[in-house]
Amino acid sequence: MTTGVIPGGHNPEPRPTGERMPQQRHQPGQASPHVETRTGSSVITARAAATFEPVGRSVATARAFVRDTLQGWGFADVVDDAVVLTSELVTNAVVHAGTHADVLCLRTDDGVRIEVADRYPEREVPLQGSAVNMGSPDREGGRGLQLCAALAARWGVEYTSTHKNVWFQLDLPERPVGTRAAGPSLPADLLPLADGRVRVAVVQIDRKGSISAWNEDAEEIFGHSAAAVTGKPLTDLAAWPHTPGTGTGIAEALQLSRWEGSYGIRGADGRVTSVYASHLRVRDTGGEPSTVCLLVRDHERAVLQTPLRLPASDAGVTSDGQNSDPFEVFIGSPAPDDLDGLLQRTVERARDMLDGDSAFLLLATDDETELEVRASTGLPSARQRFARVPVEAGPGRYGSARMPAVHDDLAAVPGAVPLLTGTGMRSVVTVPLKVEGRLTGSLGVAAEAPGRYSNEEALRLQFAADRIALAVESARLGELERLRRGSLSFLVEASDLLAGTLDRDQTLALMAQMTVPTLATWCAVYTIADQASDPYLSYVLHEDEELIDGIKSLLAKVPPPDPVPTPGARVWTAPGEHAHQAALRSSMRSLGLTGGPTRQLSSGIGPTLATASAVGGETVVLPLVARNRVIGMLTLGKPTDEHFRQEILELAEDLSRRAALALDNARLYSERTAISQALQRSLLPPGTPHIEGMEVEVIYRAAGEGNEVGGDFYDVFPIADNAYGFAIGDVCGTGPNAAAVTGLARHALRLLAREGLSGPAVLERLNSAILDEGARSRFLTLLYGEMRPQEDGSAEMKVVCAGHPLPLRLRQDGTVEAAAEPQPLLGVIEDLELYEQTVTLDPGDVLLCVTDGVTERREGTRMLGDDGLADVLTTCTGLTAGAVAARIMRAVERFASDAPSDDMAILAMRVPGLQKD
């Protein structure tokens, strides 16, 4: 898609007939060359243009482009009609006509004009006067123009030799002039409370979510200077009250055209200031969108808060003076459609109803044994969100969670309400939320002054809690169902990924990458090699890669958690405490409070504080148990003042069970692979000996992934002074069973040959040894020989070919011939009568020995065969033994595209002679 935005300007000159529409991005201030303006005397105040490719997804992109453009211009009244018409016209262009679509939006003083051009001008235009059947939704031609006629104030179609241009204009409705909202005149003592001077922070956020403007009131309220925060994301300062993934987050709120509500801003001193905010999304004259945020302290929300406007026909009170819907009277209409929005609205209304300084709402777990903080106002919500407290914990407030309770002075009963510890609240009233007699939550309102509440306030709050309990429980169950569906999908995907690898390091990386940032902000995996070993820190991951090294260094200094096999997550406080102490020491050194030079130490305060903040929240440990043994621990952590949701911990527990089994499978596979490779390497010759007056080269390829030895084998070894034995063979089959016979044959050949036996005698005794294996025996083809370099520069070869592909001799003149005769193979019959043949290699001659994996290389119905091998060998005249073997292997690999299905061995022996240049 190509887009352009041109603010301001007057009517452009008409486009010449037949001019192609440009594909490049238009620059601000430059007239769009592909559209003729037909707005009469209206002044064009802004333009936005875009080009869309002829693909189906372009229709949705075009709708979004028009919607964003008109909302940015403040034309929300005509957005829906414009989007419907654009969707139909772009569909005709990119789907039915199959061409690019050019969309142009023109803003005027009295309306908006949109043009859609395609490059298929011969399409028929339906006449308005003709009868057109619009009943079929699948009809292609004319539906967009019919909608233009029905919805647009004016519309038309223009043709050129290369383009068809459909335009429509939507007029803005008349806006009412006067007061939009008003409240009654109130006595001074009933007006909202505010400080002596009300400060309104004005913060502007650019399209990337970064702060671009910060006024003096913002500096006064939060303590940050404009220079210190400009360019930083607002998310770095905002303590957002909503749950990521289940409700509107700050990133989504900044994208809305308007938003109003409460959240917190972290000040320069680290404290969170609760604010009430009003967001308005605007677009500047250059077409760049941004969001203007007005913020006041939360207790001064009346300055910005929009009054609740109920329908005039139903103000919540019937003719007899009774409330028609107590829930809507308390929550307001319309009620939030998500759980977090409903809970946040509840605590705000409860606080206002009892004129409190703060309010909070906790939800009970399914077994009613714990309460989890889900919403609060007037409190440092980020520090308390998702914190869990046992219901029956001692004589305090939560011990009586199922009954209303009033505390006149929390200072007299420290810890009675753990949520309010250290917040400055003195008096509190709490009531339970119940559904069908079951505890589902707890609602509380607190004040900074003691003795503010009595049983009367408790009854009022209980009445409100009864009205909302069912709605809250319904919303909670809906959210829980969505989370569980998402959890199942997550676990299925995780299982597929973990099952797709048997590599230990990759399994560790997958475990961490699946948890960060979906379940936690950072993750560490400890592994335990065996029961006598201590846990070892194997992998660390944080959503910010720059913090990984700091966390790894911190955890290396902390004793690892105990490998307890008890299932479930348990809290681990050691990392947070150690990080806090390290950050404190670093801060004191930077201030020179510990004596000594500070210039060299001050550079370390940044990473130390960042690491402390990263691990300062809740940290939990889940055991990795596989086959009734703890093989490691999965550690999950949150940043400062954040807690885990109970549902997230349950999901992490399910994941840890799957990850533990995958990690143990990877361990077992690695051990088995190491054992197999060690055994296979023991079956290979230790090396090729250096033979004076001979060149010897071997290439060996075992079929099958991970196999180093198969049914083919080779060997070159010394027998006596100036005498060497060589062998190349092929055991029936491949894999471990064939490799076992390979080991028997190779070691037996060396032993028998060094006893001074002749070649036929060696093979006859090997045949008997193979037959003695009984059911494990396999027949074997073998080429065995002895070589003796001669003083005249030649070499004498005595060979026995027992059922094996015949060795080929390459002479200096390029002729190729068989160097032996075929004889019976081994491992089939007991009485063998074998004989040896003598071949003399002249200088420059080559003796090539291969297994049938080379000659039987296939591509469809074609096979390389003995003749094909001989043809390749004829091209190797004058090459060294290594070059001959390499050329043969390349020819075999190029003969077919598929991977070899059989083992291959190539043994090339050459008497040095003259070589080609």
Side-chain angles (χ1 to χ4, degrees), residues 56-136:
R57 63 176 181 273
S58 293
V59 179
T61 309
R63 287 198 297 265
F65 165 70
V66 172
R67 182 179 296 278
D68 292 343
T69 300
L70 298 191
Q71 286 181 342
W73 288 348
F75 289 175
D77 296 326
V78 298
V79 164
D80 292 337
D81 289 347
V83 169
V84 169
L85 295 179
T86 303
S87 178
E88 287 295 332
L89 297 178
V90 173
T91 300
N92 290 339
V94 303
V95 177
H96 302 316
T99 76
H100 286 75
D102 302 309
V103 179
L104 175 69
C105 300
L106 301 174
R107 183 180 69 184
T108 64
D109 296 334
D110 54 355
V112 62
R113 172 193 180 93
I114 298 178
E115 301 188 2
V116 179
D118 65 41
R119 302 167 192 183
Y120 192 19
E122 62 268 25
R123 289 184 65 83
E124 178 185 0
V125 180
L127 301 178
Q128 285 186 269
S130 62
V132 179
N133 179 18
M134 297 294 290
S136 173

Side-chain angles (χ1 to χ4, degrees), residues 68 95 110 127 205 240 286 420 471 522 531 671 715 808 827:
D68 292 343
V95 177
D110 54 355
L127 301 178
I205 312 299
W240 196 255
L420 301 179
W522 63 273
Q531 295 180 355
E671 292 178 356
D715 200 1
L808 298 179

